[in-house]
Amino acid sequence: MDTCNKVSKYLMKAGYACNVIGVPKTIDNDLYGTDHCPGYGSAAKYVATTLMELNLDAKVYDKGQVAVVEIMGRNAGWLTAAAALANYKGLGADLIYLPEVPFSVEKFLSDVKRVMDNNGGKCIACVSEGIRDKDGVFIVESLSSAKAKDNFGHTQLGGLAIQLADLINRTYGVKVRGIEFSLMQRCGAHLASGTDIEEAFNAGRKAVQAACAGKTDKMVVFERDMSSGKYKCKYKLISVELAANTEKKVPLEWITPDGTGLTQDYIDYALPLIQGSSKSPLEDGLPKFASLKKVKVEKK
Amino acid sequence: MDTCNKVSKYLMKAGYACNVIGVPKTIDNDLYGTDHCPGYGSAAKYVATTLMELNLDAKVYDKGQVAVVEIMGRNAGWLTAAAALANYKGLGADLIYLPEVPFSVEKFLSDVKRVMDNNGGKCIACVSEGIRDKDGVFIVESLSSAKAKDNFGHTQLGGLAIQLADLINRTYGVKVRGIEFSLMQRCGAHLASGTDIEEAFNAGRKAVQAACAGKTDKMVVFERDMSSGKYKCKYKLISVELAANTEKKVPLEWITPDGTGLTQDYIDYALPLIQGSSKSPLEDGLPKFASLKKVKVEKK
């Protein structure tokens, strides 16, 4: 949206008749001025569904084990928050940590210990890749550099989940698995939300209609309409400048006081966004993706 | 099946009238005596679908990048072979390495280089967790211990994908992502194969019917019937002893001569197993899993 804003301002200044309408899209859901972003509902559905399945897998054994799951989100914890949707269905994470709350490694270790003690040694903890300590230092960096020092300057491999899993293992001597949802959480189209697909389509249409009607320097936004008692999405335009360079984070009042969970407000916000399924066609039991083909246009 | 065999033999020896019928199930697909195992088709569908999605994600950028994807399979490469199903649909891995073929780190690096050179710096390589060198040493162990030596005895974190990604990065200075399908590939019930679900159900029924009919010391096996020109699964019984302790590996003649791909024989084998979708119910847009509840039985 920042680029959109710059291109739009330049074209206006240059007096070049080209209309610019920003269409939001990011699984990070961190754009200012819109209730939510196309892409978020689908990625949230992937996170919640996968976590429910992991929960059943991890808890089927008699023996205790710990899993640390790393979810995308550098500055805003929206996607990691989707773990709470799995909790809502009774098969979620015991602990959820977002970048909105400063992360303490000591508190994390004691949180994990408390859950293990109460659950026969079992614990699932979800962490945003962007969790930071009270000084704003990324946890993945502070853990890596602490170990790098031990290792005479060699950088330690592995992302946050593996670093935290290793830390728990070294502290409590228990079996821990570090799991990263990696690129799968942003490309898992087979698990897309029907609502998300529909709204994304509508956002694109609204943008084209606005541009064709002579509007420029705007962004399409979603407004939540609950006036009928049911979720409804309205499409509006705002100045693209408003959305550029402002990140929307998870409201602190939606995070439980102990910093390890989400309140019902988040569930109420997110649940409508993951409804419905992708109706994408299959071929040979596998996805059949649309592709744009070059078509020869004959001159008349 | 080994435990099944032992329990069965003990009960027969002790003259205890309890019939034992083994029901196969393993995503590893490595049981002897059966065409395939319940669970494999679903996990293979997860691997192929996810790899197609990853392919689109990784190749959408102009800039080259390399991904190393680690797939389960300690001794048999069946699950990693499922990457070839994505190749069959044109969106797969450039390189596929199974534990059936001795793995050379030098050849791997030159394979990756060749693919990058021909594809604008892009390459997706899939590796079985169990790949080994010509002396039978697990690659993940030899890479870890090589680095551990550098690091004065500290063990290096991370699985095979991350180790190989790091190696490519240090050798060629390119951006590399290590991706592990982790537990998701074995618990992704939302992507289960309809064929697999049906056959698993039938295998259980066949076992109960056999036990009730007085049979014991057997295992249910699947036999592929192509006599009609179309795939059909037949259910038979074999001695449980036959299946115990013998691993079925991917036939070497199904692996391409350069050891980085699968032949059409594998596609023909696996494709029927991933057909159809899970019809599992959703609730609030998320899976609704069956659960067994305790029911009070009233005495009459």
Side-chain angles (χ1 to χ4, degrees):
Chain A
M1 287 306 142
D2 181 41
T3 309
C4 232
N5 185 33
K6 282 176 181 153
V7 170
S8 168
K9 295 291 183 294
Y10 174 79
L11 291 171
M12 287 197 288
K13 196 181 153 194
Y16 190 90
C18 178
N19 297 337
V20 177
I21 308 286
V23 189
K25 71 98 206 147
T26 165
I27 60 163
D28 290 335
N29 202 40
D30 59 352
L31 275 175
Y32 177 82
T34 185
D35 179 76
H36 58 283
C37 301
Y40 177 63
S42 294
K45 191 181 180 96
Y46 178 94
V47 165
T49 301
T50 305
L51 199 60
M52 289 177 74
E53 293 171 343
L54 281 179
N55 180 302
L56 286 174
D57 188 298
K59 299 203 167 169
V60 77
Y61 303 99
D62 287 334
K63 224 176 166 183
Q65 63 171 314
V66 178
V68 180
V69 181
E70 178 181 342
I71 300 171
M72 281 181 174
R74 197 96 177 136
N75 298 314
W78 289 107
L79 207 47
T80 307
L85 294 168
N87 290 31
Y88 175 69
K89 303 308 291 179
L91 293 168
D94 301 292
L95 304 163
I96 302 172
Y97 300 92
L98 311 188
E100 280 79 359
V101 177
F103 185 89
S104 150
V105 169
E106 293 69 34
K107 178 175 177 299
F108 170 73
L109 285 172
S110 86
D111 287 345
V112 168
K113 181 80 166 61
R114 191 187 68 245
V115 173
M116 286 197 305
D117 288 347
N118 294 330
N119 292 279
K122 295 171 188 180
C123 177
I124 298 178
C126 289
V127 291
S128 256
E129 59 176 333
I131 49 169
R132 266 162 274 207
D133 65 19
K134 59 179 171 37
D135 302 317
V137 178
F138 285 112
I139 299 300
V140 65
E141 283 171 13
S142 61
L143 289 177
S144 301
S145 61
K147 297 206 81 191
K149 241 193 260 174
D150 290 353
N151 291 339
F152 299 84
H154 292 265
T155 312
Q156 194 73 13
L157 294 182
L160 179 63
I162 287 172
Q163 300 279 2
L164 287 174
D166 181 58
L167 183 67
I168 295 169
N169 172 264
R170 283 185 289 119
T171 309
Y172 300 127
V174 295
K175 193 182 162 191
V176 194
R177 202 185 268 264
I179 298 173
E180 213 185 318
F181 283 174
S182 191
L183 298 183
M184 289 83 89
Q185 67 198 298
R186 81 174 182 207
C187 68
H190 70 275
L191 249 182
S193 143
T195 301
D196 187 33
I197 292 173
E198 188 191 329
E199 292 178 353
F201 182 86
N202 290 343
R205 181 165 58 188
K206 174 86 180 172
V208 172
Q209 285 171 340
C212 291
K215 298 212 164 93
T216 189
D217 203 36
K218 304 284 182 197
M219 177 178 95
V220 177
V221 292
F222 294 169
E223 201 178 86
R224 183 180 298 242
D225 176 7
M226 298 293 291
S227 59
S228 68
K230 279 175 73 175
Y231 169 85
K232 221 183 125 185
C233 183
K234 284 189 172 173
Y235 306 88
K236 305 223 160 165
L237 295 173
I238 64 167
S239 158
V240 72
E241 204 161 350
L242 276 177
N245 300 323
T246 315
E247 275 176 331
K248 190 183 71 174
K249 302 193 176 183
V250 177
L252 288 178
E253 58 269 28
W254 288 7
I255 301 171
T256 54
D258 67 346
T260 65
L262 279 293
T263 67
Q264 184 64 34
D265 285 331
Y266 170 76
I267 305 297
D268 295 340
Y269 166 82
L271 213 47
L273 313 182
I274 65 162
Q275 300 307 306
S277 298
S278 157
K279 300 274 184 286
S280 303
L282 294 179
E283 186 182 70
D284 294 329
L286 293 169
K288 182 170 160 55
F289 295 110
S291 63
L292 298 174
K293 279 182 185 156
K294 279 188 188 170
V295 178
K296 274 191 190 170
V297 180
E298 282 184 38
K299 286 181 187 173
K300 281 189 182 172
Chain B
M1 286 306 143
D2 181 43
T3 309
C4 231
N5 185 34
K6 282 176 180 154
V7 171
S8 168
K9 295 290 183 296
Y10 174 79
L11 290 172
M12 287 197 291
K13 194 179 153 194
Y16 190 90
C18 178
N19 297 337
V20 177
I21 309 285
V23 188
K25 70 98 207 150
T26 167
I27 59 163
D28 290 334
N29 201 41
D30 59 353
L31 276 175
Y32 177 82
T34 186
D35 178 76
H36 57 282
C37 301
Y40 177 63
S42 294
K45 191 181 180 96
Y46 178 95
V47 166
T49 301
T50 305
L51 199 59
M52 289 177 74
E53 294 171 342
L54 280 180
N55 180 301
L56 286 174
D57 188 296
K59 300 206 168 167
V60 77
Y61 303 100
D62 288 334
K63 226 176 162 182
Q65 63 171 313
V66 178
V68 180
V69 181
E70 178 181 341
I71 300 172
M72 281 180 173
R74 197 96 179 136
N75 298 316
W78 290 106
L79 208 47
T80 307
L85 294 168
N87 291 32
Y88 175 69
K89 303 308 291 179
L91 294 167
D94 301 292
L95 303 164
I96 302 172
Y97 300 92
L98 311 189
E100 280 79 357
V101 176
F103 185 89
S104 150
V105 170
E106 293 69 35
K107 179 176 178 297
F108 170 73
L109 285 171
S110 86
D111 287 345
V112 169
K113 180 81 167 60
R114 191 187 67 243
V115 173
M116 285 198 303
D117 288 347
N118 294 331
N119 292 281
K122 295 172 188 178
C123 178
I124 299 177
C126 289
V127 291
S128 255
E129 61 176 331
I131 49 169
R132 265 161 273 205
D133 65 20
K134 58 180 174 36
D135 301 319
V137 178
F138 285 112
I139 299 299
V140 65
E141 283 171 13
S142 61
L143 289 177
S144 303
S145 61
K147 297 207 80 188
K149 241 194 257 173
D150 289 353
N151 291 339
F152 300 85
H154 292 263
T155 312
Q156 195 71 13
L157 292 182
L160 179 62
I162 286 171
Q163 300 279 2
L164 288 174
D166 181 56
L167 184 66
I168 295 169
N169 171 264
R170 283 186 289 119
T171 309
Y172 299 126
V174 295
K175 194 181 160 192
V176 193
R177 202 185 269 266
I179 298 173
E180 214 186 316
F181 283 172
S182 191
L183 297 183
M184 289 83 89
Q185 65 198 299
R186 80 173 182 207
C187 69
H190 70 276
L191 249 183
S193 143
T195 301
D196 186 33
I197 292 173
E198 187 191 329
E199 293 177 354
F201 182 87
N202 289 344
R205 181 166 57 187
K206 174 84 180 175
V208 172
Q209 285 172 339
C212 292
K215 298 214 162 90
T216 189
D217 203 36
K218 305 284 182 195
M219 177 179 95
V220 177
V221 292
F222 294 170
E223 199 177 88
R224 182 180 300 240
D225 177 6
M226 298 295 290
S227 59
S228 69
K230 279 174 73 175
Y231 169 85
K232 221 183 125 186
C233 183
K234 284 190 171 171
Y235 306 88
K236 305 223 159 165
L237 294 174
I238 64 167
S239 158
V240 73
E241 204 161 350
L242 277 177
N245 299 323
T246 314
E247 275 176 331
K248 191 183 69 173
K249 302 193 176 182
V250 177
L252 288 179
E253 58 271 27
W254 289 6
I255 301 171
T256 54
D258 67 344
T260 65
L262 279 294
T263 67
Q264 185 62 33
D265 284 332
Y266 171 76
I267 305 296
D268 294 340
Y269 167 82
L271 214 47
L273 313 181
I274 64 163
Q275 300 307 306
S277 298
S278 157
K279 300 273 184 286
S280 304
L282 295 178
E283 186 182 68
D284 295 328
L286 293 170
K288 181 168 162 55
F289 295 110
S291 63
L292 298 173
K293 279 181 185 156
K294 277 187 189 172
V295 178
K296 274 191 190 169
V297 180
E298 283 185 37
K299 286 182 186 173
K300 284 190 180 173

